[in-house]
Amino acid sequence: GAVVSQHPSRVICKSGTSVKIECRSLDFQATTMFWYRQFPKKSLMLMATSNEGSKATYEQGVEKDKFLINHASLTLSTLTVTSAHPEDSSFYICSARERTSGRPSTDTQYFGPGTRLTVL
Amino acid sequence: AQTVTQSQPEMSVQEAETVTLSCTYDTSESNYYLFWYKQPPSRQMILVIRQEAYKQQNATENRFSVNFQKAAKSFSLKISDSQLGDTAMYFCAFMTWDNYGQNFVFGPGTRLSVLP
C-alpha cells in the first residue's frame, strides 16, 4: 500500500522557537494532505486541510498564524508551529489522500506515523 | 454536524476469543463511508476495514467484520480469533465528501487489550 512518512518522529524544543514537521507521500501524488493533532489518550482532531498549490483550510479554533501549513508539491506538506509554547506539545499526525479515481468519495487516505512535539 | 460515539473506553479479551467494539454515529447525510482504524503502541494509524453506506452487505477483512445497521446508525467491529498483535486503540471514523475533498470525523477510541 501507499506510504506516508513524517519527519522528525519526535522533536523537543524550547518555548518561543519554531518547529517544522514534514509530511511526504513516498510513492504516490497527494493533491490533498490533512494535519491532525492527538492529545494523550484522545482521538484525532483535524487541524487543517492542505491542497497542493493553494492555501490551507483551517478548522474552527485553529490559529492559522500559529500553525503554518505549506503544500508546495504533490508529495510534500509542511506544518510549522511558530513560537511554540508548552501547550503546543502534542502528537501531530498527517495523512495524504491518494487520488486514484478522481472522486473524493473513493480516494483512500493514508496516515503518517506521527510526530511527537515536546515544548519545554 | 456529524458525531461519532464509542461507548467503551477500554475492553479486554482473551487470546483466540471474539470481541465486539461498538460505534454509533449521528448524521443527516445519506451517503458516507465508515471506517475502523487501529492505532497500536507505535502510534501508526492503520486502516482495518471500510464500509460504504449504500452497501447493505457488511464488510469483512479476514478476522475483522462489521455489523452495519444504517437505520440505527450503528457500526460495530467484530474481531474473531483475537491475537496479541490486535492490542491497540481502535477508532471508528465517519467520512463525507464534497467536490473539494473528504471530511473525516473520528470517535474517541476504544483501547483493546488482548490477554495471553
Side-chain angles (χ1 to χ4, degrees), chain A:
Chain A
V3 177
V4 175
S5 70
Q6 278 183 244
H7 178 80
S9 58
R10 54 179 65 203
V11 57
I12 300 173
C13 69
K14 292 183 178 180
S15 186
T17 61
S18 294
V19 175
K20 181 185 284 188
I21 302 170
E22 292 185 349
C23 176
R24 292 182 184 274
S25 57
L26 296 186
D27 48 5
F28 66 98
Q29 293 185 333
T31 54
T32 306
M33 289 184 171
F34 304 85
W35 286 96
Y36 294 87
R37 183 172 179 176
Q38 186 178 28
F39 291 100
K41 298 184 179 182
K42 297 292 185 181
S43 188
L44 281 70
M45 301 296 294
L46 180 64
M47 298 175 64
T49 301
S50 164
N51 291 298
E52 186 264 337
S54 63
K55 290 183 178 180
T57 302
Y58 290 81
E59 296 300 301
Q60 193 172 14
V62 178
E63 300 175 59
K64 60 181 181 181
D65 295 330
K66 173 77 170 174
F67 299 98
L68 300 179
I69 292 172
N70 184 278
H71 192 161
S73 77
L74 287 172
T75 59
L76 173 64
S77 177
T78 60
L79 167 67
T80 302
V81 184
T82 62
S83 186
H85 287 94
E87 57 265 29
D88 299 326
S89 297
S90 193
F91 194 68
Y92 292 88
I93 301 175
C94 77
S95 68
R97 172 184 150 200
E98 182 182 19
R99 192 165 188 175
T100 54
S101 66
R103 292 180 294 166
S105 60
T106 53
D107 292 345
T108 300
Q109 193 173 141
Y110 296 94
F111 286 83
T115 296
R116 180 174 300 285
L117 170 63
T118 303
V119 184
L120 303 177

